[in-house]
Amino acid sequence: MPRYALRIEYHGAPFAGWQRQAGQVSVQETVEKALRRLEPDLAGIAAAGRTDAGVHATGQVAHCDLSRDWDPFRLSEALNYHLKPAPVAVLAAARVADDFHARFSAVERRYLFRLVARRAPLTHDRQLAWRVLRPLDLEAMRAAAAHLIGTHDFTTFRSTICQARSPVKTLDEITITEHVLTQGREYRFVLRARSFLHNQVRSIVGTLERVGAGAWTADDVRAALEARDRAACGPVCPPDGLYLTDVRYPTDPFGDGAETAGR
């Protein structure tokens, strides 16, 4: 059975997360329903990141095994037709090797978190960014984030229901930038690692926001990391501003030379 990789974009607000859950609407179930309009005997799909309820994606990757030898362009077009009106889109489809796995073949994942500081409620960015009332101290947040780069035991920054075997992860990058808006300021947090723990990004951003607000110091973040205690974490920020933006592989399944559509 030919295997296909799909690059998927979605607005996470209407969903209970990526993963299929009984009695709730998930992104996985929505995509599988569209696929079964084309291939009724589809076994299921697997994704690179099991995003939580309300979390968005601009670069999720999933794979599926199909009985027909689909042209990638026709596959992506047919899926987008059957996905309507759900806020989910297949940006690209590609034929991949039988041993390609969207989750286990990935060597890097990249997340973006958008935080907007302004007094007025968000309208156009409602459910797409986290709003706080006052501007944050950018340099203080960068100094605190520096303590988290590298390989650490991230017990403090993972959910108590995290199923990962080990709390040790290597965080390759935290970049924080500030952008002046017509009303307020936007802070963008980019985090990059091979893999992340459950709630790790939201725990880190929520803690760094406390630093930017002046309630914590960079040394407080270092002490929280070293505590290896979930109770030492700052507040977990809401899912609204979190996006899975990119998943990378040893060979790009959607790159030049691939049998692909939607590049």
Side-chain angles (χ1 to χ4, degrees), residues 9 13 68 80 101 112 117 137 140 183 199 217 240 263:
E9 175 183 273
R68 285 181 54 188
N80 284 328
H101 195 287
L112 165 70
D137 185 330
Q183 292 290 328
N199 276 173
T217 67
D240 300 15
R263 279 183 286 158

Side-chain angles (χ1 to χ4, degrees), residues 4 7 40 54 81 83 91-92 95 98 100 108 128 138 152 162 166 174 182 184 201 205 216 221 230 238 245 252 261:
Y4 293 84
R7 180 182 288 135
Y81 176 81
L83 282 166
L91 303 180
R95 178 75 181 269
D98 292 345
F100 173 87
E108 182 180 286
L128 295 173
L138 178 64
H152 303 285
C162 180
S166 169
I174 305 179
T182 303
V201 175
V205 173
W216 284 46
V221 174
R230 182 59 174 169
T245 59
D252 182 2

Side-chain angles (χ1 to χ4, degrees):
M1 298 177 72
R3 178 163 291 189
Y4 293 84
L6 307 173
R7 180 182 288 135
I8 303 172
E9 175 183 273
Y10 49 87
H11 190 306
F15 300 107
W18 166 267
Q19 195 164 3
R20 189 190 312 109
Q21 301 177 52
Q24 300 189 67
V25 180
S26 68
V27 183
Q28 180 181 10
E29 178 187 33
T30 301
V31 176
E32 287 176 346
K33 282 183 176 179
L35 277 164
R36 289 194 177 102
R37 298 292 298 272
L38 310 176
E39 301 243 352
D41 296 327
L42 176 82
I45 61 176
R50 292 175 288 183
T51 54
D52 288 338
V55 175
H56 315 291
T58 58
Q60 173 73 281
V61 176
H63 79 264
C64 57
D65 295 325
L66 304 179
S67 59
R68 285 181 54 188
D69 189 2
W70 285 84
D71 172 77
F73 175 76
R74 293 190 64 187
L75 176 61
S76 61
E77 289 288 289
L79 284 174
N80 284 328
Y81 176 81
H82 290 298
L83 282 166
K84 296 183 293 188
V88 182
V90 175
L91 303 180
R95 178 75 181 269
V96 292
D98 292 345
D99 61 354
F100 173 87
H101 195 287
R103 180 182 176 191
F104 299 120
S105 299
V107 296
E108 182 180 286
R109 292 163 174 85
R110 188 181 298 255
Y111 283 90
L112 165 70
F113 195 95
R114 297 180 57 214
L115 187 159
V116 175
R118 75 177 206 176
R119 296 291 304 180
L122 298 178
T123 53
H124 296 292
D125 279 332
R126 183 173 176 267
Q127 298 181 316
L128 295 173
W130 177 28
R131 178 180 68 101
V132 299
L133 298 180
R134 296 177 178 83
L136 304 176
D137 185 330
L138 178 64
E139 293 307 321
M141 292 191 292
R142 286 173 170 170
H147 291 298
L148 303 176
I149 301 296
T151 302
H152 303 285
D153 181 328
F154 281 99
T155 296
T156 299
F157 297 95
R158 76 164 175 169
S159 168
T160 56
I161 61 171
C162 180
Q163 298 177 355
R165 293 181 181 180
S166 169
V168 176
K169 292 290 180 182
T170 300
L171 189 54
D172 296 309
E173 175 188 357
I174 305 179
T175 300
I176 311 171
T177 56
E178 181 177 1
H179 306 266
V180 178
L181 307 177
T182 303
Q183 292 290 328
R185 296 175 180 272
E186 179 173 333
Y187 302 89
R188 297 175 188 168
F189 301 76
V190 173
L191 292 87
R192 180 172 56 87
R194 185 183 184 96
S195 61
F196 291 87
L197 300 164
H198 186 205
N199 276 173
Q200 185 179 359
V201 175
R202 289 168 56 198
S203 298
I204 288 173
V205 173
T207 299
L208 293 177
E209 186 275 337
R210 292 288 78 205
V211 175
W216 284 46
T217 67
D219 284 341
D220 290 333
V221 174
R222 176 186 52 77
L225 176 68
E226 293 174 353
R228 302 177 186 177
D229 180 0
R230 182 59 174 169
C233 186
V236 178
C237 63
D240 300 15
L242 184 57
Y243 301 73
L244 174 58
T245 59
D246 194 21
V247 183
R248 298 194 178 183
Y249 298 90
T251 300
D252 182 2
F254 308 101
D256 293 338
E259 186 182 345
T260 185
R263 279 183 286 158

